[in-house]
Amino acid sequence: MTVLIGLKQDNFVLITGDTKSTHMNGSNQTLDTYDSVVKVHPICENMIIGIAGSDRIGKAVVGAITPIFSLIHKLSVKEMIQHVQKTTIFIHDMYSQMHLDRDYDHLLLVVACIDHKEDKSYLYSLSSPSGFEPVEINGDCKAFGVKSQEVEEYIRTNMSRKYVNEHPIHLLSAAIRSIDDQMVSKDTYSFILNKDKTADYVFLDEQGNVKQ
């Protein structure tokens, strides 16, 4: 199980996720869980993607589009999202056809982008139940996965106070730590992409301290 949070602001986009991965067999039975799994991936200077559900399929999508989008191109964010959708559909369908004995190929992608020409930030979600039709997130922040409503409520309640003294990464990480679920880690991984084309990643442990 997974928690992903996307946040967009005028000068940056950010995705934070927990770091626990659940391995299941073809009958949807849990085999084991593993910590320290990175679920948020940089794609290029203006896109990052968070993966929930099938980590194997999600990473295949990331691996397919990263070398293409990392080259100089003139695509708009909306055109890039269309290519993400097409690539995800192809890889997901191919995986499903080759693994007919498995019925746990659910996949959710959270995509955060900055369009430098439009000077605008975007959040999208694409999921297997909806055929990976891109859904643009109109609000500034959106949580996905386990107890997402509780996570969003924590963020709304603490937004003002946390923004005064701390980077929003700490707020999103604390929101994930605030829920109690054995399938969700207290450790978090965040990737932030700034409008000036700089980027950074942060691991926070279960106390909210930066992990080296």
Side-chain angles (χ1 to χ4, degrees), residues 62-209:
V62 167
I65 64 176
T66 298
I68 299 173
F69 285 174
S70 62
L71 300 174
I72 296 175
H73 62 78
K74 298 181 179 180
L75 296 177
S76 67
V77 164
K78 293 183 179 180
E79 289 171 330
M80 292 174 71
I81 290 295
Q82 290 174 355
H83 284 290
V84 171
Q85 180 191 20
K86 292 176 183 178
T87 303
T88 306
I89 289 173
F90 174 77
I91 292 177
H92 185 272
D93 287 351
M94 182 171 61
Y95 183 90
S96 299
Q97 291 171 21
M98 296 181 65
H99 300 277
L100 297 176
D101 59 325
R102 300 173 184 265
D103 57 359
Y104 57 91
D105 55 352
H106 173 80
L107 177 64
L108 166 72
L109 299 180
V110 178
V111 186
C113 311
I114 297 175
D115 193 313
H116 295 291
K117 291 183 179 180
E118 293 184 1
D119 196 26
K120 185 177 179 181
S121 300
Y122 292 90
L123 280 176
Y124 288 90
S125 66
L126 302 88
S127 66
S128 48
S130 62
F132 299 109
E133 184 68 27
V135 177
E136 184 176 351
I137 309 303
N138 294 320
D140 291 339
C141 187
K142 179 70 176 177
F144 303 85
V146 178
K147 299 182 179 179
S148 57
Q149 292 184 343
E150 292 182 25
V151 171
E152 290 181 358
E153 180 59 30
Y154 182 96
I155 294 171
R156 284 192 294 269
T157 301
N158 294 278
M159 180 73 77
S160 303
R161 181 176 62 82
K162 286 286 184 179
Y163 260 124
V164 172
N165 298 314
E166 294 184 346
H167 194 281
I169 284 176
H170 292 273
L171 170 61
L172 303 194
S173 178
I176 292 177
R177 296 197 306 274
S178 71
I179 64 173
D180 187 17
D181 192 294
Q182 64 178 355
M183 307 301 283
V184 177
S185 72
K186 298 295 184 181
D187 291 3
T188 62
Y189 177 86
S190 302
F191 199 96
I192 185 168
L193 193 61
N194 299 301
K195 183 187 288 187
D196 64 5
K197 301 184 181 181
T198 61
D200 198 10
Y201 66 90
V202 179
F203 276 105
L204 295 180
D205 64 20
E206 59 185 7
Q207 281 81 41
N209 299 316

Side-chain angles (χ1 to χ4, degrees), residues 16-33:
T16 296
D18 77 303
T19 62
K20 181 168 285 188
S21 177
T22 304
H23 287 207
M24 306 175 75
N25 62 20
S27 300
N28 279 347
Q29 296 173 322
T30 300
L31 298 177
D32 208 344
T33 58

